[in-house]
Amino acid sequence: MSKPHASSKAAVLDAIRAAGTISRVGLIQATGFTAPTISTLVRKLINEGLVVETGHAESTGGKRRVLLQLNHASRYAVGVHLDDGTMTYLLTNLGGVAVARIARPGAGAEEPAAVVARMAGEIGALIDGVDVERDRVLGAGLVFPGPRTGLTPSMRQWEGFPLGPALERAIGLPVVLDNDATAAALGEHWAGGFGTAIAAAALYMGTGIGAGLVINGITYRGPSGNAGELGHVCVHADGPDCWCGARGCLEVVAGPAAVVAAARADRSVAEAVGLRDSAKRASVAGDFAAISRAARRGEPRALAILERSARYVATAARTLANLMDLEVLVLTGPSFAVAGSVYLPIVREELRAFFLRPAHAVDVRLSRSAASASAVGAAALVLESELVPLSHGLRLPENLDSEPEPAA
């Protein structure tokens, strides 16, 4: 018998992860591999410490089947969400469950090299804080707002900086990069948030808006890694100019910055919400959270502003569902973590008009880990890239993964 290919091993490992516990017979059924191939692959995974035998299945009249599951403590991954407001760090085990979490001040206007040095120290503290051996850490996933081929205006100082190589040198571990919305979708998939859906999406709202797509269990990124830029779908043909160069994009019409601008434009609303004056202005995230708190406690004008935003978001969500024939849509990200109670019912109501509703409905949910979804997904990027290498073919964005050209 020929030696099983690495992709076969990855397929078996992913089947065990997805099932939770499964027998060798179950793996044959799940993967389509032969019994000898499954036996060889399982033995290899057990020898590497990635999989353990854990009891027996109920008897069906014959010999009870031995169950397999991931050895969750065998490997770990770091997830980092790089943002100008807050940076979130997570350490997850092999099953994608967070075992340590810290939040630190964001990048702001700080120089990239200084931020990388700070990240390296904070990643070290994260790992050391739970006494995990470094050789069990597979790598670090680093995610950020905006497309992989460019960054949002608040982080333009990072353009051209070799972020991946710089962080790899600083921490001595492999680094995988992606955008926050795609990472959030992968995190939902890895943690089982999409269930058995064939077509699912995470609608992400942090300081901007995006979407991540998971089709047949594979995170779909598109040829440039930018699939799911829902924030730049036009929802108002005569709307305001967006930083991307187009007009009427969802993000500029209904994103958190637009919500904050609308609240500030009405002095009575700003006073009722408790927004600071322009000289002491908080971040967009902080102001959006204040508006959301006011809406939840019954401030009608704050609620009206959020509901207007939610209607635009819901319209874009219906478009996405129609285009991709979605079965599950999960609302996630820091902004939905604080305002999900306003957005969720409006998105659900809009999705009742899903074009393919005679075939199936769209299950709209709020993520269980909305606040830290991107960091969870960042760690899942590492687990996926190391353990399921053919499922996505990650490529780092050109402006962030290479050293600057030497001077002539």
Side-chain angles (χ1 to χ4, degrees), residues 30-62:
T31 64
F33 296 155
T34 65
T37 297
I38 288 295
S39 179
T40 300
L41 290 168
V42 168
R43 185 166 58 249
K44 185 174 180 60
L45 290 169
I46 290 174
N47 290 340
E48 292 178 5
L50 294 170
V51 169
V52 294
E53 294 180 334
T54 175
H56 296 78
E58 292 185 9
S59 175
T60 57

Side-chain angles (χ1 to χ4, degrees), residues 183-273:
L186 175 59
E188 287 292 331
H189 169 60
W190 197 268
F194 292 144
T196 60
I198 293 172
L203 176 50
Y204 182 88
M205 189 159 72
T207 51
I209 301 175
L213 305 170
V214 175
I215 310 299
N216 285 319
I218 297 173
T219 309
Y220 179 72
R221 292 174 169 82
S224 65
N226 293 312
E229 282 294 339
L230 195 67
H232 297 283
V233 168
C234 180
V235 293
H236 188 341
D238 299 319
D241 293 335
C242 179
W243 63 266
C244 75
R247 295 186 65 182
C249 294
L250 175 65
E251 189 170 300
V252 75
V253 171
V259 168
V260 171
R264 286 191 172 279
D266 186 327
R267 176 172 289 185
S268 63
V269 175
E271 290 177 353
V273 169

Side-chain angles (χ1 to χ4, degrees), residues 2 4 18 53 111 122 137 164 184 189 195 201 213 237 310 313 319 322 328 381 393 407:
S2 62
E53 294 180 334
E111 286 298 314
E122 289 163 352
V137 180
H189 169 60
L213 305 170
V313 169
T319 298
N322 285 336
V328 176
L381 280 170

